[in-house]
Amino acid sequence: AQSVAQPEDQVNVAEGNPLTVKCTYSVSGNPYLFWYVQYPNRGLQFLLKYITGDNLVKGSYGFEAEFNKSQTSFHLKKPSALVSDSALYFCAVRDMDSNYQLIWGAGTKLIIKP
Amino acid sequence: EAGVTQSPTHLIKTRGQQATLRCSPISGHTSVYWYQQALGLGLQFLLWYDEGEERNRGNFPPRFSGRQFPNYSSELNVNALELEDSALYLCASSLAGGPVADTQYFGPGTRLTVL
């Protein structure tokens, strides 16, 4: 079965420092991977996705993610964190076995301290 | 371009009642997805509609049902409400479901509280 894991419930980063939010996946074929962000009491906002091609994917708000096939990872990164980046981040993988639904990670709470 | 809209924003019901939640997709999107996000939990897939048909269903009891209208808007019905149904219900839409990896775009959600 396809799955996605976000090993950290919470990540704390000082403003201005680089940030990484981790995501690993397990799929039987080629993965389709997504990152979303959720601000308090709001819906999810799409950040970026990997379908094929360049392993480094650039997305909204200065975020990027690196696809690593050998490590089955798709970590979200940003070179310099902002306090406004504080939110809940979700990684998702397309499930090619279950009618192509998105399988979601549990989410990682990112806290950026001034 | 308008995003996904959901109504109502908040809904308060009592146990045993029925709740109806509504969703309007982005113009041109034919697929609509419903998710439940209970407090402290991730997203749980509920239902997927495409071209008016239910295409897939998550692991929820039959009292969770819905439909998609000819204009691609959708409603989610929850019958015989239970306390544990209290959650944020999110609707998303995409250009097409299936093997094409179209991005899902989410609405702001409906906060359902069951007393």
Side-chain angles (χ1 to χ4, degrees), chain A:
Chain A
Q2 328 270 337
S3 65
V4 60
Q6 294 181 243
E8 302 156 315
D9 291 336
Q10 183 170 309
V11 172
N12 298 300
V13 178
E15 186 178 25
N17 283 0
L19 69 87
T20 299
V21 183
K22 296 179 180 178
C23 173
T24 59
Y25 64 89
S26 174
V27 299
S28 55
N30 293 321
Y32 294 166
L33 296 153
F34 301 78
W35 274 105
Y36 285 81
V37 60
Q38 184 178 33
Y39 297 99
N41 298 313
R42 302 281 296 278
L44 276 68
Q45 294 180 28
F46 169 71
L47 282 177
L48 50 82
K49 67 181 178 184
Y50 172 83
I51 304 301
T52 187
D54 194 349
N55 290 343
L56 186 64
V57 180
K58 294 189 182 296
S60 305
Y61 313 121
F63 283 94
E64 57 189 27
E66 186 171 9
F67 171 65
N68 188 318
K69 188 172 183 177
S70 62
Q71 297 186 4
T72 63
S73 66
F74 189 57
H75 301 332
L76 182 70
K77 300 180 179 183
K78 187 174 182 180
S80 179
L82 300 173
V83 172
S84 57
D85 293 330
S86 299
L88 188 57
Y89 290 79
F90 289 97
C91 179
V93 64
R94 194 86 173 199
D95 182 356
M96 307 306 283
D97 290 339
S98 177
N99 214 351
Y100 311 107
Q101 292 311 296
L102 284 177
I103 303 300
W104 295 85
T108 298
K109 186 175 183 179
L110 178 64
I111 298 176
I112 309 299
K113 298 183 179 181

Side-chain angles (χ1 to χ4, degrees), chain B residues 54-72:
Chain B
E54 182 180 303
R55 302 296 184 182
N56 200 10
R57 181 182 182 86
N59 189 25
F60 280 85
R63 59 190 185 83
F64 287 84
S65 65
R67 55 180 170 167
Q68 186 177 34
F69 299 99
N71 67 353
Y72 303 114

